[in-house]
Amino acid sequence: MKDDKRDGINRESRAADDATGFTGAQAGSSRSHGLTGISATLVGLVAAASLLGGCGQTDTKPMDDEYAGNESSSAPGNGEAQGPQAGEGVPSASSRDGRQPAASDTGQYQDGSYALTGHYGKDGSDSIDVDLDVSGGTVQSVRVSGKSDSPVSKKHIDEFAKAVPGVVEGRPLKDLKVSKVAGASWTSDAFNKALDLARQEASITQ
């Protein structure tokens, strides 16, 4: 009688397997595949969390001041430097000493002190004051100070101000030009504009 009951249970179990399409071995294999899939998903989630965690790091590298005037801006993604567009950082210069500039640079310069301001940065918001002492057509001394609402830009200005005397003092004013002093592109461009205006102010006309 017991054997008959066991046979009946076995038959019912086989019938259930046939109905579901799984044998005992297949069911075990399915459970194994399910666990493997869950493990792979967990590994993927851990990797994603690690990548997202890296986004919160605060370490930064110094940037060129070409991108420092606007805190929300960043360098171009292709790694190529792009010059300022009209209305957004195109450097210019103005006089602080009331001297009238000549119509053009004559190449012959009057001795004296020249006070100028170079403007640059986002919407011209950054500026540097440039004071030049010229004698015998040569820059005897230069002093630079500046202001900016951006701490990053201000840092570039300060570094430029420290470095530029060693670049220009003792050199002829004629054709004098600097190139990215202390890593400051826009500050250097604005300084060059101030030099252009100084040459016009100092020019001796016939």
Side-chain angles (χ1 to χ4, degrees):
M1 193 70 169
K2 291 180 180 179
D3 291 340
D4 291 341
K5 288 181 179 181
R6 277 197 298 272
D7 289 342
I9 291 170
N10 289 337
R11 283 195 297 275
E12 289 175 2
S13 176
R14 283 195 297 274
D17 288 342
D18 291 340
T20 61
F22 289 101
T23 64
Q26 288 172 324
S29 175
S30 176
R31 283 193 296 273
S32 175
H33 286 306
L35 291 173
T36 301
I38 292 171
S39 297
T41 301
L42 288 174
V43 169
L45 289 173
V46 169
S50 297
L51 289 173
L52 289 174
C55 293
Q57 292 178 352
T58 57
D59 293 340
T60 58
K61 295 181 179 179
M63 61 168 63
D64 191 303
D65 73 336
E66 186 174 340
Y67 311 105
N70 179 9
E71 295 290 358
S72 64
S73 66
S74 60
N78 62 7
E80 295 180 2
Q82 296 180 359
Q85 301 300 310
E88 293 195 0
V90 176
S92 62
S94 60
S95 175
R96 288 187 292 110
D97 53 25
R99 291 175 181 267
Q100 291 299 314
S104 61
D105 176 5
T106 65
Q108 300 294 319
Y109 308 115
Q110 182 177 352
D111 294 351
S113 297
Y114 300 87
L116 315 113
T117 298
H119 308 274
Y120 66 106
K122 182 76 171 178
D123 299 323
S125 58
D126 296 344
S127 65
I128 54 170
D129 287 341
V130 179
D131 291 275
L132 288 172
D133 292 325
V134 178
S135 178
T138 299
V139 176
Q140 300 300 314
S141 66
V142 61
R143 296 168 300 284
V144 173
S145 62
K147 61 182 180 179
S148 173
D149 294 332
S150 163
V152 178
S153 291
K154 187 61 171 66
K155 181 175 182 292
H156 280 288
I157 290 171
D158 292 343
E159 290 176 352
F160 178 90
K162 290 177 183 177
V164 75
V167 176
V168 302
E169 288 181 353
R171 295 182 59 187
L173 180 59
K174 183 174 174 59
D175 299 326
L176 181 59
K177 184 176 181 180
V178 301
S179 176
K180 202 171 182 179
V181 174
S185 294
W186 279 6
T187 310
S188 296
D189 290 343
F191 182 80
N192 288 332
K193 287 293 184 180
L195 289 178
D196 289 341
L197 184 54
R199 278 187 282 267
Q200 284 184 264
E201 288 190 356
S203 284
I204 300 173
T205 56
Q206 301 301 323

